[in-house]
Amino acid sequence: MPCSPSGRQPSTSDWRDRAACIGEDPDLFFPLSDLAVPGSETSRAQAVCRRCDVLIACRTWAIEHGEDDGIWGATTATQRRAIRRATTNPAPAARRRGDDAREDHGLSH
């Protein structure tokens, strides 16, 4: 692998190098409000995200790293917090069919 001008090995391709937001005003992605009403900074930022080839990688990174500011992968901070809660607090496992009958008769495994 060829070396970069700094003498270090160039890094492998990163999803951020292919993001649609490159060249956009960074302030667009850090709106004052999470409300995605038509014409708002939030909705304009999300429109850029929706045309991005790496939307899922971006969203995943923001969720996994606890990014609580800005628009990442077309999601607001509020949406990412909800996703994190939903994925870290799984619902109780569904009961198997027949478990109720064994409990009703005092039977156990």
Side-chain angles (χ1 to χ4, degrees):
M1 183 180 292
C3 289
S4 66
S6 67
R8 294 180 296 176
Q9 296 289 334
S11 63
T12 58
S13 179
D14 188 287
W15 62 266
R16 289 170 277 213
D17 296 334
R18 300 185 323 273
C21 57
I22 292 175
E24 296 283 343
D25 180 0
D27 289 341
L28 178 66
F29 298 92
F30 293 92
L32 297 177
S33 169
D34 271 1
L35 296 177
V37 295
S40 70
E41 286 181 318
T42 299
S43 66
R44 291 193 322 258
Q46 288 175 325
V48 172
C49 293
R50 287 187 189 103
R51 70 172 194 255
C52 186
D53 292 336
V54 295
L55 180 145
I56 299 299
C58 177
R59 179 182 301 161
T60 300
W61 183 92
I63 291 167
E64 289 175 353
H65 289 87
E67 186 58 63
D68 278 338
D69 294 309
I71 305 299
W72 293 80
T75 59
T76 65
T78 301
Q79 291 168 327
R80 289 190 304 279
R81 282 191 294 273
I83 292 167
R84 278 194 298 276
R85 277 192 306 274
T87 58
T88 58
N89 297 323
R95 298 177 76 156
R96 290 189 325 246
R97 185 180 187 125
D99 282 350
D100 291 333
R102 280 190 288 278
E103 289 176 9
D104 289 343
H105 298 290
L107 301 176
S108 63
H109 302 347

